C-alpha cells in the first residue's frame, strides 16, 4: 500500500477515522474520499459528511451496509428481494425454519466476503450454521433468507447528476456449497441479453430505493425462475478485481479514475467503452496445509492472454479450507477476444 501521508487508523472505528480526517484536513485539505471493495462505506460517508465533501448521507451508507435495513428498505420500495427474517437468537432461527421452506441461507447482517454465510439444507444444519454466522458478525445481528437458485451477476455502477451508469456485468462463479465461495468471474456476462438487462434495471431500482445519489454502487443479482432478485447492494465499487482489472481490461475504461472524479465533485469524462474484450478472473485455491513453494509464476505471466497474476500468500504460509472469500492463495486475470 502506498500513501503520501499515511494515517494509521481502523476504518471500522468511524469516530476515530472522522477525527483523524478532521485533524489532517486542517493542515492538508482533503478534496474527496472513497473506498473500493471494502466494508468502509459508512466510514467514508461519515468523513465526507463531516468535511462537507461529495458523498452520500451516513444513513444511506448504513442502509447499503446493514443487510437487514437494506432488505427492509428494498421491500418497502417494491424492489425484488428473497423472503427473509432478522435473527438474533437460536430460537429465532428455529422459528424462521418453521415459517420458511428449506433450503435457506443464514448470514451476518454486517460483514462481507461471504464470511459466515452458509446454506441450511437440513434441520441438522441449523445450530452449526447459526454459530458460524454469529462468530462472523460484528454486531451479532443475523439474517436468514430464502435460498435463490439460478445464475448470479456482479454489477458496478457510477452515480452522478441524477444519472446511474451501469459499467459492467459479470458472471459470478460460486462453489463449495454449503458455503458461498466465489472462485472467479467472467466479464461481460454470457447470459442472454434480456436477463442481463433485467438485472441492470433491478440494480438501478435498488440504487434509487436505497438513496445512493452520488458515488458508486456494486450489486449482486440472482436470476431466478421468478425473475431477477437482489442478493446485495453496496455503496462502493466492487472488489474481487472486477473494477480494478477485468472491467478495465474488457472495456478500456478506468473506473477508478471515474470514481475519483465523482468523489471530487466532477462529472466523469471517459466512460465510453473503447474495446470489447472478454476478461476472466479465477482464484488460485490450494488444499489445506502449509505452502512449501510456489513455482511457475514467471512462466505463466508469459502465456498469451494472461494479464496479471496476484499472489496473496507465499512459501511458509498456512492455508485453511475455504469457507468464504478470504484466504485464497492468489488470482489469475486474463483477457482475450472471446
Amino acid at each position: 500500500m502506498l500513501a503520501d501521508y499515511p494515517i494509521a487508523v481502523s476504518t471500522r472505528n468511524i469516530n476515530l477515522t472522522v477525527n483523524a480526517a478532521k485533524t489532517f484536513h486542517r493542515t492538508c485539505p482533503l478534496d474527496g474520499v472513497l473506498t473500493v471493495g471494502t466494508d468502509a462505506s459508512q466510514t467514508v460517508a461519515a468523513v465526507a459528511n463531516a468535511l462537507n465533501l461529495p458523498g452520500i448521507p451516513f444513513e444511506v451508507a448504513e442502509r447499503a451496509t446493514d443487510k437487514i435495513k437494506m432488505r427492509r428498505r428494498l421491500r418497502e420500495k417494491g424492489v425484488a428481494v428473497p423472503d427473509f427474517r432478522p435473527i438474533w437468537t437460536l430460537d429465532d432461527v428455529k422459528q424462521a425454519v418453521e415459517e420458511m421452506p428449506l433450503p435457506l441461507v443464514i448470514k451476518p447482517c454486517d460483514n462481507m466476503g461471504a464470511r459466515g454465510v452458509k446454506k441450511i439444507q437440513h434441520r441438522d444444519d441449523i445450530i452449526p450454521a447459526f454459530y458460524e454466522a454469529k462468530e462472523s458478525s460484528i454486531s451479532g445481528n443475523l439474517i436468514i433468507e430464502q435460498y435463490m437458485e439460478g445464475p448470479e451477476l456482479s454489477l458496478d455502477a457510477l452515480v452522478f447528476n441524477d444519472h446511474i451508469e451501469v459499467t459492467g456485468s459479470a458472471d459470478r462463479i460460486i462453489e463449495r456449497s454449503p458455503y458461498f465461495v466465489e472462485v472467479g468471474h467472467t466479464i461481460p456476462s454470457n447470459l442472454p441479453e434480456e436477463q442481463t438487462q433485467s438485472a441492470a434495471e433491478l440494480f438501478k431500482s435498488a440504487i434509487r430505493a436505497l438513496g445512493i445519489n452520488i458515488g458508486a454502487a456494486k450489486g449482486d443479482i440472482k436470476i431466478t425462475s421468478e425473475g431477477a432478485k437482489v442478493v446485495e447492494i453496496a455503496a462502493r465499487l466492487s472488489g474481487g478485481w472486477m473494477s480494478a482489472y477485468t472491467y478495465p481490461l474488457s472495456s478500456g475504461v478506468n473506473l477508478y479514475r471515474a470514481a475519483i472524479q465523482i468523489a471530487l465533485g466532477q462529472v466523469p469524462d471517459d466512460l465510453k467503452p473503447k474495446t470489447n474484450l472478454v476478461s476472466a478472473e479465477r482464484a488460485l485455491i490450494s488444499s489445506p496445509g502449509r505452502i512449501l513453494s510456489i513455482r511457475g509464476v514467471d512462466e505463466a505471466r508469459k502465456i498469451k492472454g494472461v494479464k496479471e497474476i496476484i499472489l496473496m500468500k507465499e512459501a511458509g504460509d498456512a492455508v485453511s479450507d475455504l469457507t468464504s472469500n478470504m484466504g485464497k492463495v492468489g488470482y489469475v486475470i486474463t483477457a482475450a477476444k472471446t
Side-chain angles (χ1 to χ4, degrees):
M1 183 180 295
L2 299 175
D4 292 317
Y5 303 97
I7 300 172
V9 58
S10 171
T11 53
R12 287 195 183 275
N13 191 323
I14 296 174
N15 289 335
L16 195 61
T17 304
V18 169
N19 289 335
K22 282 181 175 179
T23 301
F24 183 78
H25 184 66
R26 284 196 286 267
T27 56
C28 184
L30 297 170
D31 298 305
V33 57
L34 79 159
T35 186
V36 175
T38 72
D39 50 358
S41 299
Q42 292 181 88
T43 306
V44 167
V47 171
N49 296 172
L51 300 183
N52 197 29
L53 298 173
I56 55 176
F58 181 81
E59 58 268 24
V60 172
E62 190 177 30
R63 279 200 297 265
T65 302
D66 184 308
K67 293 178 177 62
I68 296 173
K69 293 181 178 180
M70 179 193 306
R71 288 271 189 267
R72 284 175 172 161
R73 177 73 169 197
L74 294 177
R75 186 170 62 183
E76 287 170 6
K77 295 292 185 178
V79 178
V81 296
D83 189 19
F84 69 95
R85 304 283 189 280
I87 296 297
W88 180 256
T89 67
L90 191 54
D91 286 340
D92 293 337
V93 180
K94 292 176 179 178
Q95 182 177 342
V97 171
E98 293 296 327
E99 298 172 354
M100 304 165 68
L102 295 173
L104 298 169
V105 179
I106 191 168
K107 60 181 73 172
C109 79
D110 51 7
N111 215 332
M112 58 174 286
R115 284 171 285 193
V117 182
K118 193 172 185 180
K119 184 179 180 181
I120 298 175
Q121 303 181 82
H122 311 285
R123 289 181 178 270
D124 291 345
D125 301 333
I126 294 172
I127 294 176
F130 171 79
Y131 285 113
E132 284 183 52
K134 202 75 164 176
E135 188 176 342
S136 297
S137 175
I138 298 165
S139 65
N141 286 318
L142 310 177
I143 187 170
I144 193 167
E145 62 189 31
Q146 169 195 14
Y147 172 73
M148 295 182 285
E149 190 72 60
E152 186 169 331
L153 293 170
S154 183
L155 301 97
D156 272 316
L158 295 173
V159 187
F160 56 94
N161 288 359
D162 296 322
H163 174 70
I164 300 172
E165 181 80 18
V166 176
T167 56
S169 179
D171 291 325
R172 298 186 81 199
I173 306 170
I174 309 294
E175 295 181 358
R176 303 174 87 87
S177 181
Y179 299 101
F180 295 81
V181 178
E182 182 175 349
V183 299
H185 72 265
T186 304
I187 189 168
S189 170
N190 200 37
L191 291 177
E193 186 177 354
E194 62 267 22
Q195 292 185 342
T196 59
Q197 195 59 41
S198 68
E201 291 304 317
L202 181 69
F203 183 33
K204 290 180 181 179
S205 297
I207 291 170
R208 296 188 189 98
L210 292 173
I212 302 172
N213 58 4
I214 187 172
K218 168 255 185 186
D220 295 331
I221 307 291
K222 272 276 190 181
I223 307 298
T224 76
S225 59
E226 299 172 341
K229 291 187 179 182
V230 173
V231 178
E232 184 176 310
I233 304 292
R236 55 170 174 79
L237 285 177
S238 62
W241 314 107
M242 179 172 161
S243 62
Y245 283 97
T246 56
Y247 180 72
L249 284 169
S250 171
S251 66
V253 175
N254 187 334
L255 274 189
Y256 280 13
R257 180 179 185 273
I260 289 170
Q261 287 178 308
I262 294 171
L264 294 173
Q266 303 169 7
V267 175
D269 57 8
D270 190 22
L271 293 180
K272 186 176 181 180
K274 304 167 189 60
T275 56
N276 185 28
L277 300 178
V278 176
S279 185
E281 170 266 322
R282 295 292 184 271
L284 298 171
I285 299 175
S286 167
S287 55
R290 189 167 298 278
I291 297 173
L292 298 180
S293 64
I294 299 176
R295 299 185 299 273
V297 176
D298 291 338
E299 293 85 347
R301 285 196 171 112
K302 295 174 184 176
I303 296 173
K304 183 179 180 181
V306 174
K307 299 300 181 181
E308 189 63 76
I309 294 178
I310 301 164
L311 295 179
M312 310 301 290
K313 293 182 180 292
E314 56 188 22
D317 287 347
V319 180
S320 301
D321 197 20
L322 280 189
T323 59
S324 75
N325 290 327
M326 306 295 111
K328 296 169 187 172
V329 173
Y331 305 85
V332 177
I333 294 169
T334 63
K337 290 182 179 180
T338 68

